Amino acid sequence: MQPWFVVPPLKGSLVRLEALSDDHAEDLARAAEEDRSSFSFTLVPRAEQVAGYLKAQFDRVAQGLVPFAQIRQSDGRAVGCTAYWDPRYWPGGSRLRAVEIGFTWLGASAQGCGINAEAKMLLMQYAFEELGVARVDLKTDARNKRSRQAIENLGATHEGVLRNWSMSWAPGEDGRLRHSAMYSVVSTEWKTVKDGLLARLARSQGTSPQGL
């Protein structure tokens, strides 16, 4: 099953996003077994579960998922995953009006170094500037303080907590629902958010802000 639209590789200085495939399995198994202390509320497979995880992601394509591998530019290794999810359209047509960025995780060695911020910027840039959406959603388990802070650091606006909104991925909570903290960036905010992310990435790399 092909995705509902095909996204070309999205390339930054730290990360490249490319269509998720079985070719990424070995790298993802390695990344998933690094320090797992930040995965308490996140869907991240164990090494031996990666094949099943990939199949489940491919099965979700029919439901609107467009999955990516996050490739670290410095060594060419897949260090995590992310996706477009939950596409919504304008009434009476096929023109996209909103999409979510979700199913995101990174191995411990790829955290805190700018990869997450750059990947989110690449995805938002493509959504706003190429797909023409009016809104990008991001959500996380309301208990996940680390994830919520990371989303807020992107410049997204917290809209509230939706109770019993999503399935929980926390250990021991199979089949249970979680409260989800909902965030968004809308098209009128995108330039300001993008400028802030470019400046943040430039500071982290000791360079001048540039467009991607």
Side-chain angles (χ1 to χ4, degrees):
M1 178 71 68
Q2 290 295 312
W4 45 276
F5 66 86
V6 176
V7 181
L10 305 177
K11 300 177 182 178
S13 60
L14 300 174
V15 67
R16 179 178 77 256
L17 304 179
E18 63 185 36
L20 185 66
S21 77
D22 289 323
D23 292 341
H24 300 118
E26 184 176 350
D27 282 351
L28 292 175
R30 182 182 296 109
E33 288 301 325
E34 295 174 357
D35 179 3
R36 293 179 61 89
S37 61
S38 65
F39 297 156
S40 299
F41 301 104
T42 307
L43 175 60
V44 182
R46 302 301 309 226
E48 66 273 12
Q49 298 170 332
V50 165
Y53 172 86
L54 292 174
K55 182 182 184 304
Q57 291 298 81
F58 302 148
D59 289 345
R60 291 184 179 102
V61 168
Q63 303 171 40
L65 188 76
V66 181
F68 303 92
Q70 301 198 63
I71 310 298
R72 185 164 49 202
Q73 294 283 46
S74 63
D75 59 11
R77 291 190 177 278
V79 291
C81 297
T82 191
Y84 285 131
W85 175 236
D86 191 21
R88 281 103 70 200
Y89 299 88
W90 291 100
S94 59
R95 188 161 64 96
L96 195 66
R97 63 179 172 84
V99 71
E100 180 180 324
I101 296 172
F103 287 95
T104 298
W105 65 271
L106 284 169
S109 65
Q111 297 175 20
C113 61
I115 286 178
N116 179 64
E118 187 174 65
K120 293 296 196 302
M121 188 174 73
L122 291 168
L123 289 167
M124 286 194 284
Q125 179 173 258
Y126 193 84
F128 285 117
E129 298 179 16
E130 301 298 329
L131 301 176
V133 302
R135 169 189 171 98
V136 169
D137 304 338
L138 303 103
K139 70 175 185 287
T140 189
D141 192 307
R143 298 167 294 180
N144 193 340
K145 295 180 180 179
R146 178 180 179 138
S147 179
R148 291 181 66 165
Q149 187 62 61
I151 294 172
E152 289 169 12
N153 289 346
L154 297 172
T157 296
H158 180 226
E159 297 178 323
V161 174
L162 304 179
R163 297 179 299 164
N164 287 355
W165 184 256
S166 306
M167 300 306 299
S168 174
W169 302 115
E173 294 187 358
D174 292 353
R176 291 175 57 183
L177 295 171
R178 75 181 196 197
H179 297 349
S180 291
M182 179 66 75
Y183 295 81
S184 71
V185 176
V186 298
S187 56
T188 53
E189 301 167 340
W190 168 235
K191 183 181 184 306
T192 300
V193 170
K194 180 180 180 180
D195 288 347
L197 285 170
L198 285 170
R200 174 181 164 188
L201 288 165
R203 287 193 301 270
S204 70
Q205 299 176 70
T207 61
S208 299
Q210 300 178 39
L212 293 179

